[in-house]
Amino acid sequence: AQSVTQPDIHITVSEGASLELRCNYSYGATPYLFWYVQSPGQGLQLLLKYFSGDTLVQGIKGFEAEFKRSQSSFNLRKPSVHWSDAAEYFCAVGGRFGNEKLTFGTGTRLTIIP
Amino acid sequence: DSGVTQTPKHLITATGQRVTLRCSPRSGDLSVYWYQQSLDQGLQFLIQYYNGEERAKGNILERFSAQQFPDLHSELNLSSLELGDSALYFCASSDSGEYTDTQYFGPGTRLTVL
C-alpha cells in the first residue's frame, strides 16, 4: 500500500527566507506526487504535481518541488517566503494502477515571522 | 474561490442522528470527490462519483453513503453518527474521471457530533 510521510509537523521561517518542506513516500513504483496548500478556513489548493519526465516541477505561487527516486522524496521549496504563505501544506501520493487513489500526508504547518 | 460550493458551513448534531452534506461542483466538472479531515485520521479520501456513477471508494464507512444527481451536485449522507465522525468534510471536483486531474476543493463543512 502506498504511504506518505511529512516528518515536520510545524516549521517557522522568517519572511524572505528560503523554505523546504520534506515529503517521503512509499510505493512499489514511481507514484504520482502532489503538493496541496490549505489556508485557514479554506479548502485545499493544488500547488504542483509530478507524473513523469523532468524531476524538477514548477508550481503556482513560486513553489517548486524535486522528485528524487533514490531518496523516495518529493520536497517542496520556495526561495523567498511571503507572509501570505503561512498555511498548512500537504504532500500526497497517488497510485498508478487499478483503483489506487490519493493518500495524503499528515501535513506541515508553516508559520512566517516578520 | 474555487467555484465549488458546500452547504452548510457548520453542522452541530447529536450522536445517533443523520445528516446530509451538499456539494455543487464547478461548472462543467463531472467528477465529485468527498474527503474527511479529522485530527485522528488526517485527510482521507471517501468516495468519488463521475457523471452520476460511483467511480471509486476509499475509506468510507458503511454508515456513510453518497450520490450524485443529474444536475451533478452531490450529497454525502452520514447516519448513526458517532462522536468520532466529528470532522471537516471536503468536496472536490474535476472535469474528468481521472483523480490525477486537478481537483478543486470547496471550503468544507465542519461537522460536530455531541
Side-chain angles (χ1 to χ4, degrees):
Chain A
Q2 65 209 43
S3 66
V4 59
T5 302
Q6 294 181 248
D8 304 306
I9 295 174
H10 186 201
I11 283 183
T12 300
V13 299
S14 299
E15 190 168 15
S18 64
L19 171 70
E20 182 168 26
L21 302 182
R22 296 184 292 164
C23 172
N24 293 96
Y25 69 87
S26 174
Y27 187 65
T30 299
Y32 299 126
L33 294 160
F34 307 78
W35 274 101
Y36 283 85
V37 60
Q38 183 179 23
S39 299
Q42 303 292 319
L44 279 74
Q45 181 182 24
L46 180 68
L47 287 176
L48 47 80
K49 56 186 176 182
Y50 172 77
F51 291 171
S52 64
D54 192 346
T55 56
L56 186 61
V57 181
Q58 301 297 321
I60 63 171
K61 304 185 181 190
F63 286 93
E64 67 178 26
E66 186 171 11
F67 169 61
K68 292 187 177 180
R69 185 193 310 274
S70 61
Q71 297 176 20
S72 298
S73 69
F74 188 57
N75 294 348
L76 182 71
R77 300 194 295 247
K78 186 169 185 177
S80 175
V81 298
H82 185 262
W83 64 266
S84 60
D85 293 324
E88 186 111 21
Y89 291 79
F90 292 91
C91 181
V93 59
R96 290 178 178 264
F97 308 108
N99 202 31
E100 294 171 323
K101 296 300 173 185
L102 276 180
T103 299
F104 287 87
T106 50
T108 297
R109 184 156 58 94
L110 175 64
T111 298
I112 309 294
I113 55 176
Chain B
D1 184 357
S2 66
V4 178
T5 59
Q6 290 187 249
T7 56
K9 285 189 177 179
H10 302 277
L11 200 47
I12 301 175
T13 188
T15 54
Q17 294 298 305
R18 172 190 171 95
V19 297
T20 297
L21 313 184
R22 182 188 169 104
C23 168
S24 293
R26 290 189 323 153
S27 177
D29 283 357
L30 298 178
S31 264
V32 169
Y33 304 78
W34 286 98
Y35 293 88
Q36 180 195 59
Q37 185 177 36
S38 67
L39 290 177
D40 290 344
Q41 303 290 330
L43 190 60
Q44 293 195 99
F45 164 69
L46 296 179
I47 197 165
Q48 176 198 0
Y49 276 80
Y50 175 71
N51 204 20
E53 300 288 327
E54 181 183 304
R55 174 63 68 99
K57 251 183 180 176
N59 300 322
I60 189 165
L61 299 172
E62 285 194 11
R63 300 183 285 109
F64 296 1
S65 65
Q67 55 184 327
Q68 186 179 27
F69 295 86
D71 67 351
L72 300 177
H73 90 272
S74 177
E75 292 180 356
L76 179 67
N77 300 296
L78 315 176
S79 62
S80 302
L81 284 167
E82 302 175 0
L83 295 177
D85 298 327
S86 295
L88 196 51
Y89 291 84
F90 287 109
C91 163
S93 74
S94 69
D95 58 359
S96 82
E98 300 301 320
Y99 83 89
T100 49
D101 287 341
T102 299
Q103 295 182 29
Y104 295 86
F105 281 74
T109 292
R110 182 168 295 281
L111 173 66
T112 302
V113 182
L114 301 175

